[in-house]
Amino acid sequence: MAELGGGNDDDKPLRKIAQSFKELAAAAEDARAPVVEVAPFSRACSLVSPLFGCLGIAFKFAEMDYVAKVHDLADASKSIVTLQALLDHDTERNCVRKAGSHSRNLLRVKRGLDMVRVLFEQILISEGNSLRDPASKAYAQVFAPHHGWAIRTAVAAGMYALPTKAQLLKKLNEDENSAKTHLQDYIVASEPVILYINRLFLSRDLGIDW
């Protein structure tokens, strides 16, 4: 993937991601009525998509899957206002677990957000310039339990083609200091959003490990 351009905010994807998830977190943690709307959620998630592309072949499967499912949620937002209503819509039609359902896609997108959260945590605590250890740990924690042997093997092979930490930051137009701030901001802001989605599923006895 080529570098993302010059120096304005549009060329600072990490900053935009962090800001968007701060806004989602505020909605998810609203003491009066925690409500996350589908449209701003899908927009924020779309900002994360380029990160998977920056990671190269190891996460190509994740990029394609994630982008398609975020696109479905964006389409759903034209007729469904909140994530809560989205789940209720599928529950009423008894299609929550069916392939292609909005609810199933929401769960997969949430998993992608969680993978990025763990990746960012590991990048912040890792020494050196390699992303192999942070990416391997993030994959093992979030995606691997849901993947078969063939995908896990392909991902493991792709880990050898990951960019270095310096190359990733260059692609994202960040230096190490500015990146740390945005990575930490996303880690903090994404957690309540992920927990909110988990609660939506668990409160309806839908489970989250499928």
Side-chain angles (χ1 to χ4, degrees):
M1 178 177 169
E3 285 179 55
L4 297 174
N8 64 39
D9 264 12
D10 286 343
D11 301 320
K12 297 282 189 178
L14 287 182
R15 182 180 304 170
K16 292 171 70 177
I17 291 167
Q19 183 56 44
S20 294
F21 276 86
K22 284 179 183 178
E23 293 167 7
L24 291 179
E29 294 185 303
D30 189 316
R32 295 163 300 170
V35 173
V36 175
E37 296 187 350
V38 184
F41 176 77
S42 62
R43 280 196 299 271
C45 292
S46 70
L47 297 175
V48 176
S49 301
L51 288 174
F52 290 107
C54 288
L55 293 172
I57 192 70
F59 288 92
K60 190 65 182 175
F61 77 94
E63 180 187 18
M64 295 170 65
D65 190 57
Y66 179 88
V67 168
K69 288 171 172 52
V70 170
H71 184 73
D72 172 73
L73 295 179
D75 282 346
S77 73
K78 297 170 186 174
S79 58
I80 302 173
V81 177
T82 68
L83 295 183
Q84 184 173 338
L86 183 143
L87 277 181
D88 291 341
H89 175 274
D90 284 354
T91 301
E92 289 163 9
R93 286 157 182 75
N94 197 31
C95 66
V96 168
R97 292 199 179 206
K98 288 185 179 177
S101 78
H102 301 319
S103 299
R104 187 183 183 92
N105 289 343
L106 173 60
L107 192 60
R108 299 304 189 273
V109 168
K110 186 269 300 187
R111 216 165 272 159
L113 299 177
D114 203 19
M115 201 287 301
V116 172
R117 182 186 63 82
V118 177
L119 174 65
F120 285 1
E121 286 178 341
Q122 294 298 321
I123 288 174
L124 288 179
I125 64 175
S126 67
E127 299 290 336
N129 198 28
S130 175
L131 287 181
R132 195 181 307 165
D133 194 46
S136 296
K137 286 180 177 177
Y139 176 78
Q141 183 173 323
V142 179
F143 281 150
H146 306 283
H147 288 165
W149 176 84
I151 293 179
R152 293 200 306 269
T153 302
V155 171
M159 291 293 179
Y160 290 93
L162 285 167
T164 64
K165 192 185 300 185
Q167 288 169 336
L168 176 65
L169 294 185
K170 187 178 180 184
K171 287 177 180 179
L172 296 171
N173 289 320
E174 299 287 350
D175 59 40
E176 193 158 345
N177 289 330
S178 66
K180 280 182 180 178
T181 300
H182 302 321
L183 297 184
Q184 188 61 46
D185 284 347
Y186 174 82
I187 291 165
V188 172
S190 64
E191 187 167 10
V193 178
I194 291 165
L195 291 174
Y196 174 82
I197 295 170
N198 285 346
R199 284 196 298 270
L200 289 181
F201 279 86
L202 295 173
S203 65
R204 290 163 174 74
D205 295 323
L206 298 173
I208 55 173
D209 294 319
W210 47 274

